[in-house]
Amino acid sequence: MISRLLTTFLVAACIACSSAAYADLLVEKKTFSSKNFSTVSGETIAEVNVGWEAYGKLNENRDNVILITHFFSGNSHAAGKYTPDDPQPGYWDAIIGPGKAIDTNKYYVISSDTLVNAFPNLPHVVTTGPASINPETGKPYGLDFPVVTIRDFVNVQHALLQSLGIKKLHAVVGASMGSLQAIEWAAAYPDMVERMVSVIGAGAMDAWTITALEHWARPIRLDPNWNGGDYYSGPAPLVGVTNSLVMITQQAMHPVAFNAMSPAQEVLPKSALESVLNGLPATDFWFGGAAQRAPLADANHILYLVRANQLFVAGHDKDLATGLAQVKAKTLFLPAKNDLLLQPYLAKQAVDVLEEQGKQPKYAEIDGTFGHLDGVYNIQSKAEELAEFINN
Amino acid sequence: MISRLLTTFLVAACIACSSAAYADLLVEKKTFSSKNFSTVSGETIAEVNVGWEAYGKLNENRDNVILITHFFSGNSHAAGKYTPDDPQPGYWDAIIGPGKAIDTNKYYVISSDTLVNAFPNLPHVVTTGPASINPETGKPYGLDFPVVTIRDFVNVQHALLQSLGIKKLHAVVGASMGSLQAIEWAAAYPDMVERMVSVIGAGAMDAWTITALEHWARPIRLDPNWNGGDYYSGPAPLVGVTNSLVMITQQAMHPVAFNAMSPAQEVLPKSALESVLNGLPATDFWFGGAAQRAPLADANHILYLVRANQLFVAGHDKDLATGLAQVKAKTLFLPAKNDLLLQPYLAKQAVDVLEEQGKQPKYAEIDGTFGHLDGVYNIQSKAEELAEFINN
């Protein structure tokens, strides 16, 4: 959910982000390619390309690997900088690096892009989705791209790890949509995953969340420029994307932080009294910021990401309990106390099921005023618990 | 926020809604008309018509009046039935009637429609707004209708009371947008209002709520049929309205009740894997229900209602404290504990300001699993506090 706009505002508040702390963590984006990828929906994608980056060193046994999976609006840039003068580091730089909670002096930390990344036009994002060229037609897939699921994201990462000769994950750690991938990893490949950390996550979607996600898709489908998903040779549906991005940003926040970041409104602003179409300070601020980011996103990719999330039940099996019955990993759940998007009850549901199965999931809530985004901005408040879980 | 769909589901659960309880409360919708109404925005509306209904009897001194002001998706049908075989009574029938918390054996309870009602096509709603005929052109106003504010709603009600020779309000009571009107009454006409009850309300909008409201407007503006507000001679923007109504309904609820009402989803439903455009059980249910109600709403009216709410600060004066400084009424605030739309912090803000001003506002939270809608569906849980406040 993190946005560039937000990051720009908030990087100053990031305790562990002093330039000294990450001066030595310079990272490089790499691309993993795979041919004839089979999807859960029974289709084949001729070529899949996803970006990935890594921090730390792979040991000789190749068993010191921690996989980081990213959230809806994010990408694989979880830590470090691409160049020393990058304005900001990766989103979880506070907990990934030398001597940090996820210690790159000990672990080889791999962070992977997903299929259908929401922002394929960002320079460092490598992804495959509806905006990619369909080799059969030489044109973007559009809605001919197969529906993909969180399990597909995991399967691409599995193929990436195989290509590196990695057969064990010391841990898989993800926030939000990344937490869905993390728990899916533990359910789909139980013999590979030793530890699973779900930050601001869920074991399965419920009707509330499925419908909330639907609201992120509908403005795009209403935008005339969307044109049934076929807009790659014309203007992109940027108004629909903008509306969607503001909704995503707001739902990922909490009123305290949201209000603190918004401009104040005088009483009865003159232009607002002149027409219902005229903006207000807060709406100009949030919709204006999102409009700037909209060209970096792809409308169809957002629709596909929404669908992947809507279909999520850990294990993609009969039900949540059946899926979680497969899990052998030690598990840690870190929901955010003030999360209004994936509220703590969702993490608790998974914890309850695991406990009923005789497992011993750990659970702690992240404090803060950012809501869902506390899983990104306040993750360092759980650095100790995280380090203890990872190292034991 | 209450919807017909919801009411249909929930009337069975309404403890006080046995047919015996309201058999004797049959009500009639009346119309109040006023010429040359001046708006806060400095415009004149040639003719204003709003509906109203009343329960109980006006006493000789005309000082036993309680005014009920309605919420965003509601109207003046607060109690009773129009005919004995109506499927459901008014929305607050649990607390308004003979012997109930707002006792129609003692009080003359008036409930008034607002300007720009969201559902002008419902048979019992009488309102004036963009869908009304502009006498200057003989055609619907569309966006030529002046921007109106909560103060304008109050001023129309004030004119209605004047026409009835009423100079005092024993109390004004409203839920959600109705609570904005109630507190505005106390700030704008402090010598008229003896008691004010704000249910699931706020003293002023904040950036969070202003932006949340904006999301209700944007789908309408994106719908090509909206046509800049000029759609009265063509197809209405029903897709935009539908998306807006689902958002309003979901934000007015809480996951517990929302999930309980939604159909279950099998894992990986086949059609959902075939296309990202295919519906899911929960989205089909909520969007399907809203699509049925959409023709009863008016798209421009929703835009105008959104704007009226966005501009709200009690008193419409320099700031909230200046507005509330005018209040002489005794006040009672009843937010809903699990409200995700107008969270209890908003009512607390008003309470804090009133306390700083040496007043003694009362405050209690409504429990329940409906979220914002607990202010409608669980209001009877606060019947005792309400009766005590009203009667003392």
Side-chain angles (χ1 to χ4, degrees):
Chain A
M1 313 304 162
I2 187 172
S3 71
R4 303 189 98 193
L5 180 70
L6 287 175
T7 316
T8 308
F9 278 100
L10 298 165
V11 69
C14 175
I15 293 163
C17 299
S18 71
S19 57
Y22 52 73
D24 49 355
L25 192 59
L26 285 178
V27 300
E28 184 195 349
K29 182 76 74 180
K30 298 166 194 171
T31 296
F32 168 70
S33 295
S34 175
K35 300 279 186 196
N36 298 318
F37 178 80
S38 296
T39 67
V40 166
S41 58
E43 305 280 331
T44 300
I45 305 172
E47 186 175 322
V48 155
N49 295 297
V50 294
W52 65 286
E53 47 190 74
Y55 328 111
K57 281 190 181 156
L58 185 59
N59 66 10
E60 212 167 307
N61 290 337
R62 301 178 187 226
D63 63 1
N64 69 331
V65 179
I66 294 179
L67 177 69
I68 307 292
T69 48
H70 72 72
F71 46 91
F72 194 99
S73 306
N75 58 63
S76 58
H77 193 35
K81 292 184 161 193
Y82 296 123
T83 63
D85 56 348
D86 262 4
Q88 60 204 37
Y91 65 90
W92 261 356
D93 196 81
I95 52 161
I96 301 172
K100 296 183 185 174
I102 297 176
D103 189 349
T104 51
N105 291 331
K106 289 187 199 169
Y107 302 109
Y108 183 60
V109 180
I110 297 180
S111 182
S112 164
D113 280 326
T114 68
L115 294 168
V116 302
N117 185 292
F119 289 90
N121 304 321
L122 270 173
H124 287 281
V125 168
V126 181
T127 191
T128 304
S132 306
I133 297 299
N134 179 348
E136 278 185 26
T137 64
K139 292 179 185 168
Y141 281 97
L143 297 193
D144 289 336
F145 196 78
V147 172
V148 287
T149 63
I150 298 293
R151 172 69 70 93
D152 292 306
F153 299 0
V154 164
N155 285 345
V156 171
Q157 290 153 3
H158 185 260
L160 161 63
L161 296 183
Q162 276 192 312
S163 77
L164 299 170
I166 293 164
K167 290 173 182 152
K168 279 273 178 197
L169 285 175
H170 182 82
V172 54
V173 187
S176 195
M177 186 181 83
S179 82
L180 310 189
Q181 295 167 68
I183 201 167
E184 185 63 17
W185 255 104
Y189 297 102
D191 293 323
M192 273 186 79
V193 181
E194 294 173 336
R195 288 166 197 78
M196 190 288 301
V197 184
S198 159
V199 180
I200 50 173
M205 293 294 101
D206 57 357
W208 174 269
T209 314
I210 288 167
T211 310
L213 284 160
E214 187 71 13
H215 293 304
W216 303 1
R218 295 279 168 154
I220 288 168
R221 291 168 58 174
L222 253 183
D223 188 325
N225 286 346
W226 176 63
N227 191 34
D230 181 12
Y231 52 82
Y232 294 103
S233 56
L238 295 181
V239 179
V241 170
T242 298
N243 292 359
S244 178
L245 293 180
V246 180
M247 231 180 298
I248 294 170
T249 301
Q250 180 164 16
Q251 288 177 16
M253 290 187 74
H254 182 273
V256 173
F258 190 90
N259 286 334
M261 288 170 66
S262 301
Q265 177 169 311
E266 59 169 330
V267 176
L268 297 178
K270 194 168 174 291
S271 74
L273 279 176
E274 285 168 0
S275 166
V276 294
L277 306 184
N278 289 344
L280 294 163
T283 60
D284 285 346
F285 176 78
W286 292 102
F287 283 83
Q292 287 187 321
R293 287 182 293 128
L296 300 169
D298 181 81
N300 286 334
H301 280 227
I302 292 175
L303 300 186
Y304 275 73
L305 263 190
V306 161
R307 176 51 46 99
N309 281 273
Q310 286 177 321
L311 292 177
F312 181 67
V313 181
H316 290 83
D317 207 329
K318 209 175 65 193
D319 54 25
L320 179 60
T322 311
L324 294 186
Q326 300 301 315
V327 174
K328 295 181 180 174
K330 294 186 205 175
T331 58
L332 169 63
F333 293 82
L334 298 173
K337 194 176 171 181
N338 291 316
D339 195 333
L340 296 171
L341 179 59
L342 300 181
Q343 297 182 31
Y345 74 85
L346 287 165
K348 274 182 201 146
Q349 276 175 353
V351 165
D352 288 348
V353 172
L354 288 166
E355 281 178 346
E356 279 163 26
Q357 296 175 346
K359 296 161 188 174
Q360 294 171 310
K362 290 184 194 302
Y363 178 95
E365 293 184 2
I366 305 168
D367 274 320
T369 58
F370 276 107
H372 190 63
L373 282 174
D374 282 317
V376 178
Y377 296 135
N378 283 326
I379 188 66
Q380 66 274 21
S381 68
K382 286 284 174 277
E384 210 171 308
E385 290 89 334
L386 196 54
E388 200 194 309
F389 180 80
I390 295 284
N391 294 326
N392 288 293
Chain B
M1 313 307 159
I2 187 172
S3 71
R4 303 187 98 194
L5 179 71
L6 286 177
T7 317
T8 307
F9 277 99
L10 298 166
V11 69
C14 177
I15 293 161
C17 298
S18 72
S19 57
Y22 53 73
D24 50 353
L25 192 60
L26 286 178
V27 300
E28 185 195 347
K29 182 76 73 180
K30 298 166 192 168
T31 295
F32 167 70
S33 295
S34 175
K35 301 277 185 196
N36 298 319
F37 178 81
S38 296
T39 67
V40 167
S41 59
E43 306 280 331
T44 301
I45 305 171
E47 184 175 323
V48 156
N49 295 297
V50 294
W52 64 286
E53 48 191 73
Y55 329 111
K57 281 187 182 158
L58 185 60
N59 66 10
E60 212 168 305
N61 290 337
R62 302 179 186 224
D63 63 0
N64 69 331
V65 180
I66 295 179
L67 178 69
I68 308 292
T69 48
H70 73 72
F71 45 90
F72 194 99
S73 307
N75 58 64
S76 56
H77 193 35
K81 292 184 163 194
Y82 295 124
T83 63
D85 56 348
D86 262 5
Q88 60 204 35
Y91 65 91
W92 261 355
D93 197 81
I95 54 162
I96 301 171
K100 296 183 184 175
I102 297 176
D103 189 350
T104 52
N105 291 330
K106 291 186 198 170
Y107 301 108
Y108 183 60
V109 180
I110 297 181
S111 182
S112 165
D113 280 326
T114 67
L115 294 168
V116 302
N117 184 291
F119 290 90
N121 303 322
L122 269 174
H124 288 281
V125 168
V126 181
T127 190
T128 304
S132 306
I133 298 299
N134 179 349
E136 278 186 26
T137 63
K139 292 180 185 167
Y141 281 97
L143 297 194
D144 289 337
F145 197 77
V147 172
V148 287
T149 63
I150 298 292
R151 172 68 70 94
D152 292 305
F153 298 0
V154 165
N155 285 346
V156 171
Q157 291 154 2
H158 186 259
L160 161 63
L161 296 183
Q162 276 192 312
S163 76
L164 300 170
I166 294 164
K167 288 171 183 157
K168 280 272 178 199
L169 285 174
H170 182 82
V172 55
V173 187
S176 194
M177 186 182 82
S179 82
L180 310 188
Q181 296 166 68
I183 201 167
E184 184 64 15
W185 256 104
Y189 298 102
D191 293 323
M192 273 186 78
V193 181
E194 295 172 334
R195 289 164 197 80
M196 190 288 301
V197 184
S198 159
V199 180
I200 50 172
M205 293 294 102
D206 57 357
W208 174 269
T209 314
I210 288 166
T211 308
L213 285 159
E214 187 71 15
H215 293 304
W216 303 1
R218 296 277 167 155
I220 288 168
R221 292 168 58 174
L222 252 184
D223 188 325
N225 286 345
W226 176 63
N227 191 32
D230 182 11
Y231 51 82
Y232 294 103
S233 56
L238 295 181
V239 179
V241 171
T242 297
N243 291 359
S244 179
L245 293 180
V246 181
M247 233 181 297
I248 295 169
T249 301
Q250 180 163 15
Q251 288 177 17
M253 291 189 72
H254 182 272
V256 172
F258 191 90
N259 286 335
M261 289 171 66
S262 302
Q265 176 169 311
E266 59 169 331
V267 176
L268 297 178
K270 192 168 175 292
S271 75
L273 279 177
E274 285 168 0
S275 166
V276 294
L277 305 184
N278 289 345
L280 295 163
T283 61
D284 285 347
F285 176 79
W286 292 102
F287 284 83
Q292 286 186 322
R293 288 181 293 129
L296 300 168
D298 182 81
N300 286 334
H301 279 225
I302 293 175
L303 300 187
Y304 276 72
L305 264 190
V306 161
R307 176 50 46 97
N309 282 274
Q310 285 177 322
L311 292 177
F312 182 67
V313 182
H316 289 84
D317 207 329
K318 210 176 64 193
D319 53 26
L320 178 61
T322 311
L324 294 186
Q326 300 300 314
V327 174
K328 294 181 180 173
K330 294 186 206 175
T331 58
L332 169 63
F333 292 82
L334 298 173
K337 193 176 172 182
N338 291 316
D339 195 332
L340 296 171
L341 178 58
L342 300 181
Q343 297 182 32
Y345 74 85
L346 287 164
K348 274 182 201 146
Q349 275 175 354
V351 164
D352 288 348
V353 171
L354 288 166
E355 281 179 345
E356 278 164 27
Q357 296 176 347
K359 296 162 188 172
Q360 294 171 311
K362 291 184 193 303
Y363 178 95
E365 293 183 2
I366 305 169
D367 274 321
T369 58
F370 276 107
H372 190 63
L373 282 173
D374 282 318
V376 179
Y377 296 135
N378 284 325
I379 188 66
Q380 67 272 21
S381 68
K382 286 283 173 277
E384 211 171 307
E385 289 89 333
L386 195 54
E388 199 193 309
F389 180 80
I390 295 284
N391 294 326
N392 289 294

